[in-house]
């Protein structure tokens, strides 16, 4: 294992110290329990948007804390869910009196721990609603979840519902918008290499030089098939076709296309794949009007990519375009 770390057990804490040092004007970082909050939180009379999950997917979620997106993010150990107490502490620090929306990726540990935190918060008379993201079309059940996994759609949902909260929507409205995004977003990814979890010390799986894993999860869970490496055209279509067919996305649908690096994919290859995806979607009559390209939900140093399609309407487009100011996403 080659990593720029000190002790494997201290990776998350050391990284959070670095975030605090790098973004003192944006972030407030707590360590016991660990969470990251907006420096200006709580924002009075605004719905707080809080998410979290295992570390190793950065910039998700901690990199998206800031104006127009998350009020707090709760990181667990690498690929490990945060505890209910940490979620409870984060919400307690950022709730501004209008309630809190919890954004949860569909993994068993995340769902159970956020549910427990929500029960504790409701007992303290803090209004809480929850949305569970489950956009991965690759498999129905996987190593860490029952049902579909929450992947790239989480990034888009956090941005859009964060904008809704920033414009003053109440908790019920924010929850409705979040559910609408969740219903209209689909994703699928692939890998050329595996990540190495620091405290494990070896790759999560082995691939031959001529193989790729299609439908891989962000915790290196198995996908739907392991096949011989294809050309970029073949890879893009192998991922996009099941995404298009699942909702389904139809001719003249307006979409946001998110082309994501799993962590170690060079930008050159990522843009190459994005261009192919745009061409394929145009051939199917699907109109790409918004785009995001880059490493926004990763799996440590996994080399691979994923595509996410979100069906847009006028309101979702406006919310996507609304200002955002976070360490990882700003416009």
């Amino acid at each position: 294992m080659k990593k720029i770390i000190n002790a494997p057990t201290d990776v998350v804490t050391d990284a959070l110290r670095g975030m605090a040092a790098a973004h003192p004007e944006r972030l407030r970082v707590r360590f016991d329990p660990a969470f990251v909050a907006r420096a200006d939180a709580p924002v009075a009379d605004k719905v707080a948007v809080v998410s979290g999950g295992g570390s190793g997917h950065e910039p998700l979620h901690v990199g998206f804390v800031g104006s127009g997106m998350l009020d707090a993010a709760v990181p667990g150990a690498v690929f490990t869910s945060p505890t209910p107490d940490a979620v409870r502490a984060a919400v307690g620090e950022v709730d501004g009196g209008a309630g809190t929306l919890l954004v949860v990726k569909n993994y068993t540990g995340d769902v159970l721990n956020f549910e427990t935190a929500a029960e504790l918060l409701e007992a303290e008379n803090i209004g809480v609603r929850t949305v569970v993201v489950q956009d991965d079309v690759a498999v129905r059940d996987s190593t860490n979840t029952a049902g579909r996994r929450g992947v790239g759609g989480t990034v888009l949902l956090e941005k859009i519902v964060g904008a809704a909260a920033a414009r003053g929507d109440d908790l019920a409205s924010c929850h409705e918008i979040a559910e609408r995004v969740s219903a209209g977003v689909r994703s699928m990814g692939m890998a050329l290499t595996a990540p190495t979890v620091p405290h494990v010390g070896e790759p999560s799986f082995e691939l031959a030089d001529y193989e790729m894993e299609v439908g891989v999860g962000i915790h290196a869970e198995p996908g739907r098939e392991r096949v011989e490496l294809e050309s970029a055209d073949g890879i893009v279509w192998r991922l996009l076709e099941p995404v298009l067919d699942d909702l389904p996305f139809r001719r003249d649908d307006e979409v946001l296309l998110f082309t994501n690096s799993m962590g170690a994919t060079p930008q050159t290859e990522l843009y190459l794949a994005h261009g192919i995806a745009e061409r394929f979607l145009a051939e199917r009559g699907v109109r790409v009007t918004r785009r995001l390209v880059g490493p926004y939900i990763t799996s440590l140093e996994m080399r691979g990519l994923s595509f996410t399609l979100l069906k847009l309407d006028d309101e979702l487009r406006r919310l996507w375009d609304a200002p955002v100011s976070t360490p990882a996403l700003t416009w």
Side-chain angles (χ1 to χ4, degrees), residues 42 157 173 234 309 313 320:
L157 190 150
S173 177
L309 284 181
D313 56 34
W320 177 258

Side-chain angles (χ1 to χ4, degrees), residues 124-322:
E124 298 169 6
N125 295 316
I126 295 177
V128 178
R129 301 289 290 271
T130 300
V131 59
V132 178
V133 189
Q134 39 194 339
D135 56 308
D136 191 349
V137 306
V139 292
R140 172 60 61 181
D141 298 301
S142 186
T143 308
N144 299 317
T145 188
R148 289 182 166 176
R149 305 174 293 212
V151 288
T154 313
V155 178
L156 311 186
L157 190 150
E158 288 178 355
K159 166 63 186 78
I160 288 170
V161 77
R167 74 179 179 183
D169 287 21
D170 63 17
L171 183 57
S173 177
C174 287
H175 184 257
E176 185 276 325
I177 288 168
E179 291 286 3
R180 197 188 332 157
V181 173
S182 184
V185 69
R186 299 291 187 273
S187 302
M188 189 163 165
M190 56 79 63
L192 301 176
T193 63
T196 297
V197 177
H199 60 265
V200 175
E202 59 186 27
S204 299
F205 57 83
E206 295 290 339
L207 281 175
D209 289 343
Y210 59 86
E211 289 182 316
M212 62 180 185
E213 184 80 20
V214 178
V216 70
I218 58 172
H219 305 97
E221 307 98 318
R224 58 168 56 181
E225 57 183 339
R226 185 169 292 186
V227 300
E228 288 193 7
L229 182 62
E230 297 176 328
S231 67
D233 282 351
I235 291 171
V236 171
W237 187 243
R238 189 180 285 271
L239 297 180
L240 276 182
E241 187 173 31
V243 169
L244 287 166
D245 291 345
D246 189 84
L247 197 59
F249 293 87
R250 296 186 172 90
R251 179 172 293 276
D252 292 327
D253 279 346
E254 179 186 351
V255 302
L256 186 159
L257 169 61
F258 171 28
T259 303
N260 175 66
S261 165
M262 291 293 198
T265 305
Q267 286 286 91
T268 300
E269 296 177 22
L270 204 62
Y271 279 114
L272 186 154
H274 181 85
I276 296 169
E278 291 239 13
R279 173 166 54 86
F280 283 0
L281 291 171
E283 290 171 356
R284 290 280 292 262
V286 176
R287 298 185 297 119
V288 179
T289 63
R290 296 295 184 273
R291 301 149 178 92
L292 184 67
V293 182
Y296 292 105
I297 174 170
T298 64
S299 182
L300 295 168
E301 74 276 40
M302 183 189 289
R303 189 173 177 193
L305 60 83
S306 64
F307 291 112
T308 298
L309 284 181
L310 169 63
K311 189 175 292 190
L312 292 175
D313 56 34
D314 290 344
E315 183 179 35
L316 296 185
R317 189 188 331 103
R318 287 194 299 270
L319 291 170
W320 177 258
D321 290 344

